């Protein structure tokens, strides 16, 4: 069972070769991935467009891996049902997004569907913005780059104090949520995130980029062991 004390490397589909998605998903699975991270971008909440529920559905047909779906979109409550039906296992939403209803109600709907749920914070958003929801989440995602594009440098100064605060609050209050980092995660930055409390490490370029993905996954896992 995966708990907040389990360290996992999550390849990010955003960095894969979409011309052969099925093969890339299998490559991640064969390389030892247990979870796969899927970044959904709407071109509005973030300045990029990636993919939607149909891609999640395609990936689900290719694998039994745990699908960690990160909605970088406005009105995630409006689109939520489509991602639930597509086969997501966890759905993470942003506190900064616009909602027809509310963050709290959206988390409740995810939970009612039998999925796990998460909250994500932009690098400029303080941990305090997540406090109303931390009792109701399975995962807190601290973005370690400005969301929207892969390959950006790890924002240590701006995000690690927030990650440490999230860990301190969790441990002090007996909570169990995962702490996930996404952006600029390589073998030299993943240990910094681990020291500050992370146990889930989203790796795009650093996992899918090298020709030998299994080797890159082993090296990333060793860096946070």
């Amino acid at each position: 069972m995966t708990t907040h004390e389990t360290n996992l490397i999550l390849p990010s589909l955003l960095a894969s070769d979409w011309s052969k998605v099925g093969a890339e998903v299998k490559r991640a699975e064969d390389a030892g991935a247990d979870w796969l991270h899927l970044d959904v971008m709407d071109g509005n909440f973030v300045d990029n467009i990636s993919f939607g529920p149909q891609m999640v559905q395609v990936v689900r047909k290719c694998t039994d891996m745990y699908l960690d779906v990160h909605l970088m979109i406005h009105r995630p409550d409006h689109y939520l049902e489509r991602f639930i039906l597509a086969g997501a296992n966890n759905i993470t939403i942003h506190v900064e997004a616009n909602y027809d209803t509310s963050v709290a109600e959206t988390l409740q709907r995810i939970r009612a569907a039998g999925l796990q749920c998460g909250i994500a914070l932009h690098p400029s958003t303080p941990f305090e913005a997540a406090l109303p929801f931390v009792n109701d989440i399975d995962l807190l995602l601290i973005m370690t780059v400005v969301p929207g594009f892969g390959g950006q440098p790890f924002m240590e100064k701006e995000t690690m104090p927030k990650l440490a605060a999230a860990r301190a609050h969790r441990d002090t209050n007996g909570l169990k949520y995962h702490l996930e980092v996404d952006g600029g995660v390589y073998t030299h930055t993943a240990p910094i995130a681990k020291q500050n409390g992370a146990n889930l490490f989203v790796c795009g370029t650093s996992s899918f980029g090298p020709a030998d993905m299994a080797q890159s996954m082993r090296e990333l896992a060793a860096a946070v062991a």
Side-chain angles (χ1 to χ4, degrees):
M1 181 178 177
T2 303
T3 73
H4 68 284
E5 296 177 336
T6 308
N7 293 327
L8 285 182
I9 304 298
L10 283 63
S12 173
L13 193 72
L14 193 66
S16 69
D17 183 347
W18 295 358
S19 70
K20 48 181 181 180
V21 169
E24 289 285 74
V25 171
K26 187 176 188 305
R27 185 160 74 107
E29 196 165 20
D30 290 347
D34 294 313
W35 289 28
L36 188 66
H37 189 80
L38 289 82
D39 287 308
V40 177
M41 307 179 189
D42 64 358
N44 190 2
F45 179 69
V46 294
D47 188 24
N48 196 10
I49 299 172
S50 61
F51 49 75
Q54 284 180 302
M55 178 69 92
V56 178
Q57 186 176 34
V58 166
V59 172
R60 173 48 72 214
K61 289 178 180 178
C62 299
T63 184
D64 291 326
M65 273 191 294
Y66 188 98
L67 299 186
D68 179 34
V69 177
H70 176 199
L71 299 184
M72 287 180 270
I73 64 175
H74 282 306
R75 303 177 70 209
D77 49 348
H78 174 76
Y79 297 100
L80 181 62
E81 192 67 22
R82 304 175 206 187
F83 289 99
I84 292 171
L85 293 174
N89 295 105
N90 176 82
I91 297 178
T92 295
I93 58 176
H94 272 264
V95 297
E96 307 93 352
N98 297 330
Y99 290 80
D100 292 344
T101 54
S102 66
V103 172
E105 185 170 327
T106 306
L107 292 172
Q108 290 169 3
R109 286 176 57 199
I110 298 170
R111 180 82 73 212
L115 279 62
Q116 294 192 309
C117 60
I119 283 288
L121 300 177
H122 189 281
S124 62
T125 303
F127 169 63
E128 287 72 22
L131 281 175
F133 315 109
V134 291
N135 291 334
D136 304 311
I137 60 174
D138 301 288
L139 183 156
L140 178 63
L141 169 55
I142 304 295
M143 290 300 300
T144 42
V145 299
V146 176
F149 295 90
Q152 299 179 62
F154 185 79
M155 298 172 68
E156 178 179 355
K157 181 177 68 174
E158 298 88 346
T159 62
M160 289 302 97
K162 176 166 49 179
L163 178 59
R167 175 180 58 184
H169 182 87
R170 181 192 66 191
D171 296 350
T172 299
N173 291 278
L175 301 174
K176 303 293 184 183
Y177 53 80
H178 294 285
L179 285 170
E180 183 174 72
V181 288
D182 182 0
V185 179
Y186 293 85
T187 53
H188 63 286
T189 54
I192 300 170
K194 183 192 176 185
Q195 289 165 11
N196 285 279
N199 71 292
L200 301 180
F201 307 86
V202 177
C203 299
T205 307
S206 57
S207 63
F208 276 108
D212 189 342
M213 187 173 186
Q215 178 63 25
S216 67
M217 290 283 290
R218 285 193 295 269
E219 291 172 355
L220 288 160
V224 297

